[in-house]
Amino acid sequence: MSEFKGLLMGMLIVAILYVLDRYLPKWFGAIPGIAFLLLMVYIIFTKDQSLLTKLTLLIVGEAILNGIWLEALGDRKKKASKEIEKMKAKDLSKNKEEY
C-alpha cells in the first residue's frame, strides 16, 4: 500500500508542477529539477540501497521534471507567437482602413 501512496503522491506533485509551470515565471521550472537533484545526491550518499536503483530514479525523475518544464516553455512560446500574429493582423487591418 505504501508504494501506491508514493505513486499517487508523485502523480499529484507532477500535476501541481505542470499547472504551476504555466503561470509562474520561466525560471521556476528549474527549481524542482535542482531540488530533486540535490535530494537524490543526498539519498545516494546516505541510504544503503543499490546504486543502480538510485541512479535510475535520478535519471527518470529528472527526465520527467525537465520534460514538464520544456513542454510548458514550448506552450508559452506558441501562445506568445499566436498573440503576436493577432497583433500584426490587427495592425494590418488598421493600416488598410487608413488608406
Side-chain angles (χ1 to χ4, degrees), residues 21 29 63-76:
D21 275 342
I64 291 171
L65 290 173
N66 290 333
I68 291 170
W69 183 30
L70 293 175
E71 184 179 337
L73 287 176
D75 288 346
R76 284 181 184 203

Side-chain angles (χ1 to χ4, degrees), residues 17 21 27-40 58 61-67 69:
L17 288 174
D21 275 342
W27 55 265
F28 174 79
I31 293 173
I34 293 169
F36 183 74
L37 177 66
L38 294 175
L39 175 68
M40 287 307 298
L58 173 66
E62 284 292 333
I64 291 171
L65 290 173
N66 290 333
W69 183 30

Side-chain angles (χ1 to χ4, degrees), residues 49-68:
Q49 291 178 336
S50 167
L51 183 62
L52 181 62
T53 304
K54 292 184 232 179
L55 289 177
T56 303
L57 181 61
L58 173 66
I59 291 169
V60 170
E62 284 292 333
I64 291 171
L65 290 173
N66 290 333
I68 291 170

Side-chain angles (χ1 to χ4, degrees), residues 9-29:
M9 188 64 121
M11 290 171 50
L12 180 65
I13 290 170
V14 166
I16 290 170
L17 288 174
Y18 184 78
V19 171
L20 288 178
D21 275 342
R22 302 219 179 279
Y23 299 108
L24 294 176
K26 292 179 183 179
W27 55 265
F28 174 79

Side-chain angles (χ1 to χ4, degrees), residues 85-98:
E85 290 296 322
K86 286 180 186 178
M87 291 169 57
K88 285 181 181 179
K90 201 174 207 181
D91 287 344
L92 287 175
S93 67
K94 284 184 181 180
N95 287 339
K96 285 183 180 180
E97 290 175 3
E98 289 178 2

